[in-house]
Amino acid sequence: MTENKYVGSIEAGGTKFIVAVQDVDSGKIIAQDRISTQDPKKTLEQSAAFFKENPVNALGIGTFGPIDINENSRT
C-alpha cells in the first residue's frame, strides 16, 4: 500500500484566500475552499483549519505583495 501524496496551495489575496489540496499522482483537486480575508489571525486560523482537515505533504503560497514572516517585525 502506497501513501497518498498531496500538495496544498494558498492563493493569498486582499479579499480572499483560495486554499486547495491536489493529489500529486492523479493531478485531481481533492479539496478546495474560499476564505474571505479578514484580520490576519482569523484568516490564518481558517486556513490552518482547512489543512488540518486535509493534510498535505507540501504547501505552496502565492501572494501579491511582500510577506513578512518574522513574528518580531513591526510590519
Side-chain angles (χ1 to χ4, degrees):
M1 185 164 153
T2 61
E3 181 180 319
N4 290 334
K5 295 178 187 163
Y6 297 139
V7 292
S9 61
I10 299 174
E11 184 224 327
T15 60
K16 68 184 181 315
F17 273 33
I18 302 296
V19 291
V21 175
Q22 179 182 25
D23 182 294
V24 172
D25 294 326
S26 71
K28 292 183 181 179
I29 302 294
I30 60 168
Q32 183 175 336
D33 199 5
R34 180 189 191 281
I35 299 169
S36 294
T37 302
Q38 304 168 46
D39 67 77
K41 183 178 180 191
K42 286 182 183 179
T43 303
L44 293 177
E45 284 175 348
Q46 290 179 358
S47 298
F50 174 84
F51 288 110
K52 283 181 183 176
E53 290 180 24
N54 303 283
V56 296
N57 302 96
L59 178 67
I61 302 172
T63 184
F64 301 97
I67 295 177
D68 188 348
I69 61 172
N70 180 350
E71 291 182 9
N72 298 315
S73 173
R74 58 188 184 101
T75 62

